[in-house]
Amino acid sequence: MGLADRPLRLLQKRAGIGGMAAFFLAPNMLIFGVFVLLPIIINLIYSMTGGSALFLSERSFVGTDQYAKLFDCKSYLDPMSCQEDAFWTAVGNTFWFVVLQVTLLILFSLITALILNRELMARSFWRAVFFFPVLLSPVVVGLIWKWILQRQGLLNFALYPMGFEPYTWLSDRTFAFAAAVGVSIWAHMGFYTLILLAGLQAIPKDLYEAAEMDGTKPARIFWRITLPLLMPNLLVVVVLALIRAVQVFDEVFVLTGGGPGTSTLFLTQYIYETGFVSQPRNAGLAAAASILMGLVLVVLTLVQLGIGRKNENKGKR
Amino acid sequence: GDVRIMWYSDGIEGEVFQDLVNRFMKENPGINVIVDNVAYSVIKEQLPVQLEAGNGPDIARVTAIKDLAKHWLDLRPLVADAKYWDENFGANADWMRPDGSNQISGFMTQLTLTGGFANKTLFEQANVPLPGPKATWDEWAAAAKKVAQSQQIPYPMAMDRSGHRITGPAISNGANYIGKDGKPAPLDAGAKGFLGKFVDWSKDGTMSKDVWVSAAGQSYRAAADDFINGQVAFYYAGSWQVPNFAKKIGTNFDWVATGSPCGPAACTGLPGGAALVAVKYTKNAKEVAKVMDYLARKDIVKEFSERTLFLPAHKGVIAEGVNFKTDSALVKEALNTFVNATKTTSDLANKMPGWRWSDTMYGAVVTRTAQAVAGEMSKEDAFTRIDSDVAEKVKASSL
Amino acid sequence: MSAAIRFLTRRKGGKGWHWTDIVTWVWLIGGLFIMFGPAVWLAFSSFKTPQGLAEFPPSILPYVTQQVKVEGYEKPLMLYNAKMPDGSTRVLAEVRRIGIVSQMVDPKAPGEVIKVNIGDRQPVREVFFATENYTQPFMQFDFFRYLWNSVFVTVTATLITLIVNSMAAFALSKYEFKGRNLAMLTILATLMVPLSVILVPLYSIISTVGLFNSLWGVILPTVATPTGVFILRQYMLTIPDELIDAARMDKASEWQIYWRIIVPLTAPALAVLAIFSVVWRWNDFLWPLIVLSRRELYTLQVGLSIYAGELNVQWHYILAMTVVTMIPVVVVFIFLQRFITTGIAGSGLK
Amino acid sequence: MGSITLTNIQKSYGAVHVLHDINLAINEGEFIVFVGPSGCGKSTLLRVIAGLEKVTGGELSINGERVNDVSAADRGLAMVFQSYALYPHMTVRQNLAFGLENAGMPKAEITQRIGEAARMLEIEQYMDRRPGQLSGGQRQRVAIGRAIVRRPTAFLLDEPLSNLDAELRVSTRAEIAALHARLRSTMIYVTHDQVEAMTLANRIVVMRAGRIEQVGTPLDLYNQPANRFVAGFIGAPHMNFIEGALESSNGTHMLRTAQGDVLHLPQSVAPGAPITVGLRPQHISLSNDQSGFAAQVQLVEALGSETVIHASAFGTKLLAIVPGQRRISTGDTIYLSYANAPLHLFDQSGLRIATVQTEDGHSPTFV
Amino acid sequence: MGSITLTNIQKSYGAVHVLHDINLAINEGEFIVFVGPSGCGKSTLLRVIAGLEKVTGGELSINGERVNDVSAADRGLAMVFQSYALYPHMTVRQNLAFGLENAGMPKAEITQRIGEAARMLEIEQYMDRRPGQLSGGQRQRVAIGRAIVRRPTAFLLDEPLSNLDAELRVSTRAEIAALHARLRSTMIYVTHDQVEAMTLANRIVVMRAGRIEQVGTPLDLYNQPANRFVAGFIGAPHMNFIEGALESSNGTHMLRTAQGDVLHLPQSVAPGAPITVGLRPQHISLSNDQSGFAAQVQLVEALGSETVIHASAFGTKLLAIVPGQRRISTGDTIYLSYANAPLHLFDQSGLRIATVQTEDGHSPTFV
Ligand SMILES: Nc1ncnc2c1ncn2[C@@H]1O[C@H](COP(=O)(O)OP(=O)(O)OP(=O)(O)O)[C@@H](O)[C@H]1O
Ligand SMILES: Nc1ncnc2c1ncn2[C@@H]1O[C@H](COP(=O)(O)OP(=O)(O)OP(=O)(O)O)[C@@H](O)[C@H]1O
Ligand SMILES: O=P(O)(O)OC[C@H](O)CO
Ligand SMILES: [Mg+2]
Ligand SMILES: [Mg+2]
């Protein structure tokens, strides 16, 4: 990298410091533009086409028909009154899932990160323990928990000696929903914990010392020192957790498949089935649903960043 | 040159196939056949995308053979003996070619047929005789309930969560999905009759409800594990489960294949299977044909079936009889039951695999029936929704 | 030893157990069971036979029924604990079963055939590790080629991700320029659409630029991950700007500021991203599946997916291969997580 | 190389105006010291010169060239930050080498220069430690070292010795003076230490609330402060100020305070105006006899070599510094004299009118 | 409340031994100042007392109770950090209020205490700024304020005035003294400023390389330093040291340096031993006639109120401080005298033998 310096110095002479910002941004933005942004734009176009052909060139333009179809409801309060009742069921399920999962996920990750940030014996072992599920592919995650929770699973086996009859947990609407929330927390907690852990390490130690000298109780240190200074990283966690919760799919799909009935049918599964599984495929409708989902997320994220920006300035020394 | 085959496996067939391919390469040193083993999801979801883009392998083992028919290569001018193909594979040739053509696209590597399995040991322990070959669904239900009650098992009967599975009994009950114009017809009394009965059975505990509620939409779910663990007296699945049961049940209990129970209209199961087809976009059609010719050879088909415990689709081979390579009497008997059951398959059932809208029907049926089973909607609502879902699909696809 | 105990029981402050100490240990022990328990079970399960996997009630350890060779019988026979009519139990070998009656012999005195009702016999079981779950796939597929492909994809993609993302994050956190917020927002906005949704458009781009059936086709679309930019940028916001000032005074070029100051100070976040990237790329499945249709290009995940058929999934192989493929990432994790704490003691400022 | 010209420099942070219209020409090789009360804008001005802050108005040139838009890295200056700003992830050695490596200097020379600086700053034993493992003074020395090794056209030093002990401060101060003599590079130095300012500076710039109050040589500022602020700021402890009105009677001139006390002055000063007389504590002496004026002792600070007496007289607090150690206690009445002391006269707006020298205790004459 | 006892305190960072066997008893209400060269362990000792560092040996008690295992938060002390350690996300007001809120103090009292501290430290206009928007000195004042508002049993202040200007430093120093007088809480204060040490301390603790060299009242240390190190460290600029051997001839006693120069001494001191004579720069005066000894001027530093002369004599460098401004230049030969000066005699190992007072330039007598 030392070699890179000479030409880059010349570049800097020409481009100035502002130009260097562009230089730093360029590689990422280039790859990003081609492989992330462009497909999303194409997807937007998809949402305005119809038919069962896969490639855009063979599809007919239908304007906002697909959106109209999604919004074709007699009453927006009752999903069953909608043309695409599954979409609205999924919207409702996803909403509750996000509320529950994000709250608990962040709570648990934060607690875990705080604990792993303490002076512990065998700290890397404990970190590995909590990070472990992240290493598993979603399919395996779904599978493990299915094997635990299904009628012939480990849970019933464990409860059996205590006099409980085997229960089909995953056929219970409430429990299945809770399991979907729980398993997705289980699977992703390590991810957020790690981000928060790095953030905690970045808080200067002398501030904790000052707080201790100020006679601060641990709980107050947490609320008044740790949390505000963790804000930039906490923001990452909140935004990512939210986005991923809205997009929940793989592990829950393996675990409950959206059941029992449609009680754990989430948006991504709806999109996936509409666009890929059902015959004939309806890629246009799926694209429209995904665009709507994206729009909601953009709004939510903007709100969070708005809140975050305030704190960001606070964080500066 | 290279000939690439995209192949998926449910069991050991990949190894057997590779074996046969190796032998081919020894005989034909100029042709390099590469078998790309893939997950079934690749065949189902990615292959169509590749094909639309004009990519794809030279040969593929596929199940959505009708939907993708426009991508298959016509082997008729390329194979050594087209007549041999027509004679032996003619019965299923229509499933894999564009409507109205006489194209030879490939052949079925495996024929499947839906059908029932009974846990013989449970029946014996309950002292309930196994219903005979002509027994109806109701008779099976009654017998299975008795067994379940006496043996304290949770489910008398179970059926895979699949539109394909439930359609066989529906046809036996007089259902016909295919309208006069070849497009889907609204559900008729026969269909509503069996679907309704199925919902009722699920609700009153005759049928295992768990499999059907264990997913939303059209996901496939098998109830095989319950059967393997002796939790079900009668299980409606299909011929492909035979090797699976052989391996996993072992000597835990005795089981038999029962064929499909009867309804007023028929005693039919639903056929299906996987086909090996050549892809139009190949660069070495000649060599592809040579490979296909080899794989379709009677002795090769026979060996493949015998070793994989699959039902063959080759007329000559069936006629000659297959000596399945297994030392389990149960398996042999079960396979023979399925071979025999092919004879009672109704015409309507035989048409389904070659009908363009069958998957659309299956999807709507399974989605909505499952919702009715889960108690999310009434039977009547489910029927209405099935009709409207299908109509909507038909409309949307013609845009 | 006493040092170890002191270390183990080291607590905040030092005197007595603070409530946070109790919470900590409850949480850790609970975590050990809930987070790690299933994984241990998974590891044991990967040694079960297909039959063992389907069995209810499930066992923790892999068991099979014990078999013995009995004189006069060609094949080994299964051993059972059979309840005798007099209430005693004997270990017998089953010869065959007819209906609900099992014909058994005493392995030591195989002459006499004893008839037992099948409800009265329990199999004698022993722990058995079905290592063929591991050996079989190794023989069937080209493990080392898949491994190489996986390693190549993972290492390359991770390196590019780290460099490209950290450069972008640097620009987005430490420079003021027009369109900075827009760039950040665009990057974030693209997180909103899951990969599975844009598969088809992405596929058409990949095949247009000729990356179909190329490992680069797997690598490139993933390296500009918005997640990475976001994580790094937020972390960089916590680095004091004064250090950059100092470097500028030290005549450092912007590139050197990035490379010599920002990158080392971002080490904890980079380690986190590196861990994530390795895990993501190593476990990537859906996308490689689409781009790679030739077996010489398969990654491990794609390779092991062939056990997922239409009607049957061969879980025993999938589990075994899952365990095998997990080992490298665990090692990488253990190695990289140390960098999370190389956190800098003090910020270098007064 | 190293002349710096500031023309109408302004700097605001949002609504907070930190620098107002700064005009200053610094000559090549000059040693300039900025002093002023905490928060008056010294660091900000230094950062502006460094190129780390964009000015909101005015023009900055180095060697005659406008550099407003030249980046900090390209101005060729070196800086010691008030907050040190050491690279926390680098060892002391790496911290020192960084700037040299950036300039592409050969390894051998880097090693040699670092060695020299380390010896001079007495940090040789800490070369492989990270900043986090150093004491405050050690960190500050590293920060100085980082600038020194660079040998730039101009040095910017922001309170570089504040955390050093007296001994080290003296020796480092001497080293900096020697460095300046040797390299002849321009130095701009911020300090709160009077001794540093007086001994190092060619010229001192006194700032106050974002404005320059006076620029001049140390003794100029000491002897002829332009205004009351500068007079109070230069010299420690600060100058005593006695307020009153001028009176003349019988050829003697005096200042009459509000309390009616009288202070004798030379003749020349125009009578009638209310003025302030400044008298440095060092210029007040203890009378052994009862000559001089009486004062009430409020606090005595014994510094060993000298004694600081806080007393009250002329209706105000008065500081006097007398050499050696004295047996005086709080509450004592003592007699002080200002014979031979320069008196600084300021008008009502604080501007200097004149500096006059008293000859003996009661009859001052002109200087 | 507020007595602190250190018994055999030791502290190492790995292999680096920072504190060796520190023994010190601090009385309730005492004002203790730690001085010592940069890096000698002052901050570390303060941190040990605060409870921020675990000792590696020894015992620490506060008010007679062993507190080795009591957490910092529970020791009831307040600290001003050398690095400030202000909470960057809080405004000045919040920084000040934080500790009080922790103690659950009523709002009104918090407001009042903060108001007081802010007034005293002159930071009222910055109350709603964050630390990042303050100058160095302003930050330091906030750090002091944060400790002051707490009114703890004991204060630990680590170079609390280093970034303040002279004026403010004097007034803040006075405020701290007043605070101490009012609250009577123990104060432990680290400083490099001689004036601060001399004026504030009840007792000064002189440290060197992790050990205590001497503990005593300011004037004790100044007048009777226990060893050469303390003698050199207390008093600025540092004491002059002249080495040589004692000789007696004809009833006069003298020190003969290696160069053969001769320094007259009182009779009492035992002859023959090589010793060092210490002479403070303030005790050397300029002879107007050619009496005294001749010295070569090497550097002249004009501080305004006094002039520092760097000269060479007796084969060594000699510093002399003379009041006022003098017309002396480098290279001049001047005559210096040490009449009436205390001479400090140290033996070869640096320990103090005696302090003797010269009567006139050449004939010293006993004190
Ligand atoms: N973490 C550490 N590891 C090793 N040595 C350290 C560490 N922290 C401090 N030291 C060393 O301990 C010694 C004492 O440091 P301390 O901060 O107490 O000095 P100090 O007397 O306060 O000096 P100053 O006046 O410069 O602030 C120093 O030499 C320092 O280099
Ligand atoms: N980001 C900012 N926003 C608003 N005001 C600021 C900001 N940074 C500095 N200031 C103010 O600008 C003024 C000048 O600050 P500067 O740091 O230049 O002072 P200084 O003369 O160096 O003081 P010190 O001697 O205390 O270091 C101060 O009053 C400070 O509060
Ligand atoms: O879209 P991102 O940034 O969450 O990327 C995550 C990984 O690519 C998932 O495999
Ligand atoms: Mg400053
Ligand atoms: Mg210190």
Side-chain angles (χ1 to χ4, degrees), chain C residues 56-283:
Chain C
F56 177 79
S59 57
I60 303 287
L61 290 175
Y63 283 108
V64 291
T65 304
Q66 208 173 326
Q67 298 188 330
V68 283
K69 279 235 32 118
V70 179
E71 213 178 309
Y73 298 92
E74 221 177 279
K75 291 193 171 165
L77 303 179
M78 306 259 197
L79 278 183
Y80 289 87
N81 283 313
K83 218 191 301 155
M84 295 287 102
D86 60 3
S88 65
T89 348
R90 283 172 70 183
V91 177
L92 299 178
E94 180 172 88
V95 178
R96 71 176 68 82
R97 219 181 68 224
I98 301 163
I100 55 171
V101 177
S102 166
Q103 298 184 349
M104 309 189 114
V105 293
D106 190 327
K108 281 165 220 132
E112 179 203 8
V113 171
I114 307 159
K115 288 186 181 161
V116 181
N117 188 299
I118 57 171
D120 291 336
R121 78 207 205 311
Q122 288 295 325
V124 175
R125 313 219 302 165
E126 62 181 354
V127 174
F128 174 81
F129 288 91
T131 45
E132 63 270 22
N133 292 351
Y134 287 81
T135 52
Q136 204 59 26
F138 272 92
M139 294 195 301
Q140 273 171 21
F141 65 53
D142 201 349
F143 184 84
F144 289 100
R145 171 162 286 278
Y146 298 173
L147 178 69
W148 164 248
N149 290 337
S150 274
V151 168
F152 177 78
V153 167
T154 304
V155 171
T156 315
T158 299
L159 285 180
I160 299 179
T161 300
L162 291 180
I163 292 171
V164 161
N165 280 5
S166 61
M167 280 169 65
F170 175 45
L172 290 170
S173 61
K174 296 292 177 197
Y175 290 96
E176 296 282 350
F177 56 90
K178 237 188 259 152
R180 173 174 121 156
N181 289 335
L182 184 71
M184 194 59 217
L185 203 74
T186 314
I187 286 181
L188 273 180
T190 54
L191 269 173
M192 316 297 170
V193 179
L195 171 69
S196 56
V197 167
I198 54 164
L199 227 46
V200 172
L202 189 51
Y203 175 82
S204 44
I205 290 169
I206 286 289
S207 53
T208 309
V209 297
L211 290 174
F212 180 62
N213 265 331
S214 149
L215 289 178
W216 288 102
V218 176
I219 293 167
L220 284 180
T222 59
V223 294
T225 157
T227 315
V229 176
F230 192 33
I231 292 176
L232 294 178
R233 183 224 177 212
Q234 295 296 97
Y235 190 89
M236 286 178 188
L237 287 176
T238 63
I239 298 176
D241 292 346
E242 216 154 358
L243 295 178
I244 297 176
D245 288 345
R248 293 216 171 108
M249 290 312 293
D250 262 347
K251 227 175 160 22
S253 67
E254 298 305 297
W255 172 258
Q256 281 168 322
I257 291 175
Y258 160 74
W259 186 247
R260 304 266 326 258
I261 308 290
I262 297 295
V263 167
L265 289 175
T266 315
L270 283 171
V272 168
L273 182 60
I275 290 171
F276 290 166
S277 175
V278 166
V279 172
W280 288 335
R281 300 294 81 88
W282 188 262
N283 286 338

Side-chain angles (χ1 to χ4, degrees), chain D residues 200-263:
Chain D
L200 288 174
N202 293 135
R203 283 192 296 159
I204 294 179
V205 176
V206 183
M207 289 179 68
R208 176 196 195 182
R211 291 198 169 77
I212 293 182
E213 292 284 321
Q214 191 175 358
V215 182
T217 66
L219 288 182
D220 274 0
L221 296 190
Y222 187 85
N223 295 330
Q224 314 203 314
N227 54 39
R228 200 179 140 162
F229 173 77
V230 175
F233 201 82
I234 298 289
H238 63 84
M239 191 181 271
N240 296 302
F241 292 109
I242 305 158
E243 286 171 24
L246 279 181
E247 280 182 16
S248 290
S249 75
N250 304 339
T252 58
H253 305 270
M254 56 190 127
L255 181 83
R256 186 176 294 279
T257 67
Q259 281 72 23
D261 295 316
V262 161
L263 192 80

Side-chain angles (χ1 to χ4, degrees), chain E residues 1-232:
Chain E
M1 289 282 293
S3 74
I4 298 171
T5 315
L6 307 167
T7 320
N8 297 332
I9 291 292
Q10 309 203 342
K11 172 73 195 172
S12 335
Y13 294 105
V16 183
H17 297 284
V18 175
L19 298 177
H20 313 264
D21 250 352
I22 300 280
N23 286 291
L24 182 65
I26 299 171
N27 303 324
E28 203 183 309
E30 205 173 12
F31 201 123
I32 291 284
V33 171
F34 290 171
V35 298
S38 168
C40 70
K42 303 177 296 294
S43 297
T44 307
L45 188 52
L46 223 53
R47 291 169 57 82
V48 161
I49 297 173
L52 297 173
E53 300 282 354
K54 279 227 137 63
V55 295
T56 38
E59 193 170 297
L60 180 74
S61 7
I62 299 184
N63 298 323
E65 264 175 64
R66 186 175 188 277
V67 293
N68 283 36
D69 296 325
V70 176
S71 77
D74 296 333
R75 294 193 187 178
L77 313 175
M79 177 152 172
V80 177
F81 288 77
Q82 191 169 10
S83 67
Y84 314 153
L86 299 178
Y87 308 122
H89 57 296
M90 298 185 193
T91 62
V92 169
R93 188 187 311 286
Q94 289 167 331
N95 263 284
L96 296 180
F98 190 66
L100 303 182
E101 286 168 4
N102 288 341
M105 187 175 289
K107 275 244 151 70
E109 193 173 349
I110 294 182
T111 316
Q112 186 239 319
R113 282 210 196 171
I114 290 179
E116 243 170 55
R119 230 166 299 125
M120 157 176 165
L121 296 164
E122 300 176 26
I123 46 174
E124 287 151 299
Q125 342 62 304
Y126 314 113
M127 295 304 274
D128 293 315
R129 294 230 191 122
R130 298 239 160 73
Q133 302 171 308
L134 297 180
S135 80
Q138 287 159 351
R139 284 180 215 185
Q140 193 161 40
R141 280 178 272 164
V142 177
I144 299 172
R146 196 168 57 176
I148 283 181
V149 292
R150 288 269 314 284
R151 301 199 189 147
T153 13
F155 284 96
L156 310 173
L157 305 111
D158 200 350
E159 308 195 21
L161 310 182
S162 62
N163 280 95
L164 304 187
D165 57 275
E167 170 96 48
L168 197 57
R169 190 181 299 204
V170 170
S171 66
T172 311
R173 191 177 83 205
E175 295 282 3
I176 289 178
L179 197 77
H180 180 241
R182 196 166 78 236
L183 302 182
R184 297 262 115 236
S185 31
T186 309
M187 290 201 171
I188 305 180
Y189 191 104
V190 174
T191 184
H192 287 311
D193 188 304
Q194 296 282 335
V195 178
E196 280 170 29
M198 297 300 285
T199 55
L200 288 173
N202 293 135
R203 284 192 296 161
I204 294 179
V205 176
V206 183
M207 291 180 66
R208 177 198 194 180
R211 290 198 169 79
I212 292 183
E213 291 285 321
Q214 191 176 358
V215 183
T217 64
L219 288 182
D220 275 0
L221 297 189
Y222 187 85
N223 295 330
Q224 311 202 318
N227 55 37
R228 201 179 139 161
F229 173 77
V230 175

Side-chain angles (χ1 to χ4, degrees), chain B residues 210-371:
Chain B
D210 292 332
V211 200
W212 277 69
V213 301
S214 72
Q218 34 194 298
S219 305
Y220 167 71
R221 287 285 193 271
D225 281 351
D226 286 333
F227 185 75
I228 292 168
N229 278 310
Q231 307 283 302
V232 174
F234 177 82
Y235 169 42
Y236 193 71
S239 54
W240 58 89
Q241 289 290 6
V242 173
N244 191 30
F245 288 169
K247 188 155 56 183
K248 292 186 185 162
I249 297 176
T251 60
N252 289 355
F253 59 82
D254 290 341
W255 50 277
V256 291
T258 64
S260 288
C262 294
C267 311
T268 190
L270 208 61
L276 198 66
V277 290
V279 174
K280 199 153 81 169
Y281 315 110
T282 178
K283 300 211 170 55
N284 341 328
K286 275 218 186 79
E287 289 171 340
V288 167
K290 220 164 176 185
V291 175
M292 289 298 279
D293 260 339
Y294 165 82
L295 292 171
R297 245 162 56 188
K298 194 167 144 196
D299 57 324
I300 299 294
V301 171
K302 186 159 188 276
E303 183 183 341
F304 180 78
S305 298
E306 286 176 346
R307 286 172 62 183
T308 56
L309 308 183
F310 286 164
L311 306 187
H314 187 289
K315 207 166 173 192
V317 172
I318 298 173
E320 215 170 75
V322 192
N323 183 20
F324 290 109
K325 294 269 183 296
T326 168
D327 37 52
S328 161
L330 291 178
V331 172
K332 238 179 210 163
E333 197 187 313
L335 288 171
N336 286 328
T337 308
F338 277 107
V339 174
N340 285 332
T342 51
K343 292 167 193 155
T344 63
T345 306
S346 78
D347 287 347
L348 209 48
N350 265 325
K351 259 198 214 163
M352 289 306 284
W355 185 44
R356 187 186 161 197
W357 297 103
S358 53
D359 282 336
T360 308
M361 282 302 299
Y362 298 157
V365 164
V366 72
T367 303
R368 297 306 181 178
T369 308
Q371 278 185 282

Side-chain angles (χ1 to χ4, degrees), chain D residues 26-174:
Chain D
I26 299 170
N27 303 324
E28 204 182 309
E30 205 173 8
F31 201 123
I32 292 284
V33 170
F34 288 172
V35 297
S38 169
C40 69
K42 304 178 295 294
S43 298
T44 307
L45 187 53
L46 226 52
R47 291 173 57 83
V48 161
I49 296 173
L52 297 171
E53 299 283 353
K54 276 229 141 50
V55 294
T56 38
E59 193 170 296
L60 180 75
S61 5
I62 299 183
N63 298 324
E65 264 175 63
R66 187 175 187 277
V67 292
N68 283 36
D69 297 322
V70 175
S71 77
D74 295 333
R75 293 192 188 179
L77 313 176
M79 178 153 173
V80 178
F81 288 78
Q82 189 171 9
S83 67
Y84 315 153
L86 300 178
Y87 310 121
H89 58 296
M90 298 186 190
T91 62
V92 170
R93 189 187 309 285
Q94 289 167 330
N95 262 284
L96 295 180
F98 186 66
L100 303 181
E101 286 169 5
N102 290 339
M105 187 175 286
K107 275 244 152 69
E109 194 174 349
I110 293 182
T111 317
Q112 185 240 320
R113 282 210 196 171
I114 290 179
E116 243 170 57
R119 229 166 299 126
M120 157 176 163
L121 296 164
E122 300 176 25
I123 47 174
E124 286 150 301
Q125 344 57 309
Y126 315 113
M127 294 306 274
D128 293 315
R129 295 229 190 121
R130 297 246 165 81
Q133 302 171 308
L134 298 180
S135 80
Q138 288 160 350
R139 284 180 213 182
Q140 193 161 40
R141 281 178 271 165
V142 177
I144 298 172
R146 195 168 59 172
I148 284 180
V149 293
R150 287 269 316 284
R151 301 199 189 148
T153 14
F155 285 97
L156 310 173
L157 305 112
D158 201 349
E159 306 193 22
L161 309 181
S162 61
N163 281 92
L164 303 187
D165 59 275
E167 171 97 44
L168 198 57
R169 192 181 299 204
V170 169
S171 68
T172 312
R173 190 176 83 204

Side-chain angles (χ1 to χ4, degrees), chain B residues 105-147:
Chain B
S105 308
F107 65 96
M108 302 296 289
T109 57
Q110 168 200 22
L111 212 54
T112 61
L113 187 64
T114 62
F117 295 92
N119 183 326
K120 196 168 158 225
T121 304
L122 282 175
F123 273 86
E124 280 170 3
Q125 284 172 334
N127 262 325
V128 177
L130 280 171
K134 290 272 164 202
T136 64
W137 274 96
D138 291 323
E139 285 162 3
W140 271 105
K145 262 163 102 171
K146 259 192 238 161
V147 173

